[in-house]
Amino acid sequence: MDPASREAYERMSGYDDARTAPRAFATEAVHAGRDDLARQGLHAPPIDLSTTYPSYDSRGEAARIDAFATTGAEPDGPPVYGRLGNPTVARFETALARLEGTEAAVAFASGMAALSAVLLARASMGLRHVVAVRPLYGCSDHLLTAGLLGSEVTWTDPAGIEEALRPDTGLVMVESPANPTLAEVDLRAVAHACGSVPLLADNTFATPVLQRPAEQGARLVLHSATKYLGGHGDVMAGVVACDEEFAGQLRQIRFATGGVLHPLAGYLLLRGLSTLPVRVRAASATAAELARRLAADPRVARVHYPRIGGAMVAFEVHGDPHEVIAGVRLITPAVSLGSVDTLIQHPASISHRIVDADDRRGAGVSDRLLRMSVGLEDVEDLWADLDRALESPESGTGLYRETASWRGAGTHDRLAASPRGESNHDRLALPPQGESNHDRLAIPPQGESNHNRQATPPRGESNHPAPAAVGRS
């Protein structure tokens, strides 16, 4: 093996002098997982497509495999077999761990494969009970509810987590902001309520650009890497960022079950990470503006937008949501999210269809809710497309049934005309006079940029507040 190749393989085991130097988040996004390239005379990371690796030392191979079976640590020296690890995938794992602020990360073929591995790891220790807070991504909900992997779930609200814990509880799972309502939880307070039980936080919507759950007490940080981490709608993957001990268990599960990530996907994800901060902040600025416009539109009953910002917007319409989906032309009507182009979908029909209707509605996923993943297009073009779709005769903009309200205000069940010029306060059961859209939407004040709000703090300093009472924002 030539020296350059051996150095790349050593990199897979964590060899990286530059990792120890503190760097800003944007710099990490570009350089993490790539620090050894210049020493090899390379600029782009190599893609290693090998499924197996030659070795004339079978005794040494046996010792390395025994060590992996004991701890799950990545084997020392060159790779052995594709299911044990791949150098290209290892670069992505290292980079994602750096961005999330964890010791390690383990990549899988999909987000659901990653979650399944976590559940199997806990079940292997006799800890099959899971406490979870709705809403979650629809398939995550289904995996837990159906007990497909032998788990048992107790659904609760954040305030009920501590009471729901049992001796056999192996995991507490939350998603914040949640899919698809964008509801948020106080992760630090939830982690405190978990005690010694690991908290898994699905950070797919926020990404480490907006929050790093490990800094707030989460032991496991889950991503559907298909979404923002890849960022271009052309790769499917999942990843769990965590401590090295848990990572070892996940590698053993991955080896046994085969849910490995393809090296080409690992390459695309590493490339996606390099532009992640730029993409998230640009799309978030557009999403915040669209949320403001939707909140002021008489055809929209309610807008959901998280306090931490982000590129996801959910909104409920007075008319037929299916006709809004059918009416868009620039925006892509498709499931998934986090791509450079804007996507819109109807959760009750697609992403959360698999969840029982009563459970779905009880979690705030109404039949009139639309979820929009805002991309990098110009805000005026996106608004023009939304405006046309909302104006569709079939979407019911002339007559509407008001079924949503803000913050517990009275729910109306009336059919009424919607003449132009009628104020939103008359038609939408908005907050009391004097409460601004900033209060309703938790959008940054004018003049305060997402970049300022979400900049990575200095090493050792958190930008998160002290723990508050557990509850949804």
Side-chain angles (χ1 to χ4, degrees):
M1 180 181 298
D2 64 90
S5 297
R6 178 167 296 280
E7 188 171 5
Y9 292 137
E10 289 174 348
R11 167 69 181 75
M12 181 179 168
S13 300
Y15 177 80
D16 187 354
D17 295 336
R19 287 187 63 183
T20 59
R23 301 187 293 205
F25 186 90
T27 304
E28 288 285 17
V30 173
H31 289 278
R34 305 164 183 256
D35 291 297
D36 64 316
L37 294 180
R39 294 194 300 272
Q40 299 185 56
L42 299 174
H43 185 234
I47 305 174
D48 188 332
L49 296 174
S50 299
T51 58
T52 192
Y53 299 84
S55 173
Y56 294 96
D57 181 9
S58 56
R59 293 185 182 86
E61 296 293 86
R64 294 201 296 150
I65 291 173
D66 288 345
F68 176 82
T70 302
T71 66
E74 293 175 318
D76 292 330
V80 179
Y81 185 62
R83 265 193 295 120
L84 275 170
N86 173 274
T88 306
V89 173
R91 291 180 181 277
F92 163 66
E93 292 172 330
T94 295
L96 193 276
R98 293 285 286 174
L99 294 184
E100 283 289 3
T102 59
E103 292 178 344
V106 183
F108 294 85
S110 70
M112 292 308 300
L115 176 57
S116 296
V118 172
L119 295 174
L120 289 172
R122 302 307 284 164
S124 70
M125 303 175 67
L127 302 171
R128 297 181 177 275
H129 180 240
V130 178
V131 175
V133 177
R134 280 187 171 122
L136 299 175
Y137 167 54
C139 287
S140 299
D141 188 307
H142 176 67
L143 182 64
L144 295 176
T145 301
L148 298 177
L149 298 178
S151 60
E152 177 189 351
V153 63
T154 297
W155 296 102
T156 185
D157 58 28
I161 288 175
E162 187 172 6
E163 184 177 351
L165 298 178
R166 304 187 328 207
D168 63 337
T169 301
L171 189 71
V172 174
M173 182 173 181
V174 300
E175 184 173 2
S176 182
N179 187 351
T181 65
L182 307 180
E184 298 170 274
V185 299
D186 183 335
L187 290 174
R188 195 182 300 276
V190 167
H192 179 76
C194 292
S196 61
V197 177
L199 170 63
L200 182 150
D202 189 327
N203 203 33
T204 298
F205 276 24
T207 80
V209 177
L210 303 184
Q211 71 179 8
R212 303 211 292 184
E215 293 179 345
Q216 301 176 65
R219 185 178 181 187
L220 307 165
V221 182
L222 173 69
H223 285 272
S224 172
T226 308
K227 312 306 193 294
Y228 288 103
L229 302 189
H232 293 76
D234 55 7
V235 59
M236 184 169 288
V239 64
V240 178
C242 57
D243 56 84
E244 177 57 35
E245 179 184 0
F246 209 108
Q249 300 173 42
L250 293 178
R251 293 187 197 105
Q252 291 172 330
I253 296 292
R254 182 178 64 181
F255 175 71
T257 60
V260 296
L261 184 67
H262 192 277
L264 180 58
Y267 172 85
L268 292 173
L269 288 167
L270 183 63
R271 186 179 68 173
L273 290 184
S274 64
T275 61
L276 179 66
V278 177
R279 287 187 286 108
V280 169
R281 286 168 179 149
S284 297
T286 302
E289 176 59 24
L290 291 176
R292 290 188 184 98
R293 296 187 188 190
L294 287 167
D297 195 299
R299 298 164 295 184
V300 176
R302 188 175 187 181
V303 173
H304 306 257
Y305 188 71
R307 284 187 170 86
I308 65 169
M312 299 298 301
V313 179
F315 59 99
E316 299 168 43
V317 295
H318 288 304
D320 186 347
H322 301 285
E323 295 302 329
V324 177
I325 294 290
V328 295
R329 293 296 178 265
L330 176 66
I331 298 170
T332 302
V335 74
S336 198
L337 57 108
S339 185
V340 292
D341 60 322
T342 299
L343 308 176
I344 192 169
Q345 65 110 359
H346 183 240
S349 295
I350 307 180
S351 64
H352 289 70
R353 189 68 178 178
I354 200 168
V355 180
D356 176 81
D358 289 338
D359 291 337
R360 187 173 65 229
R361 293 173 187 131
V365 185
S366 79
D367 292 341
R368 293 178 181 267
L369 181 74
L370 295 169
R371 190 195 73 188
M372 183 167 61
S373 169
V374 179
L376 300 181
E377 303 94 335
D378 186 87
V379 66
E380 299 301 336
D381 292 329
L382 292 174
W383 179 248
D385 197 36
L386 278 174
D387 183 55
R388 283 191 298 268
L390 288 167
E391 195 65 31
S392 168
E394 294 84 359
S395 66
T397 55
L399 296 176
Y400 72 95
R401 183 179 299 275
E402 189 167 31
T403 57
S405 60
W406 284 97
R407 295 190 177 179
T411 299
H412 304 284
D413 187 20
R414 61 184 177 85
L415 200 64
S418 55
R420 298 294 180 188
E422 183 177 359
S423 75
N424 284 344
H425 285 289
D426 295 330
R427 301 181 62 244
L428 286 183
L430 296 180
Q433 296 291 336
E435 183 174 356
S436 69
N437 279 345
H438 292 295
D439 298 320
R440 296 171 57 227
L441 292 177
I443 296 174
Q446 295 293 334
E448 181 178 354
S449 70
N450 282 342
H451 180 81
N452 293 332
R453 295 175 62 241
Q454 295 145 6
T456 303
R459 292 294 189 270
E461 179 179 341
S462 171
N463 57 2
H464 302 289
V470 181
R472 289 202 178 279
S473 60

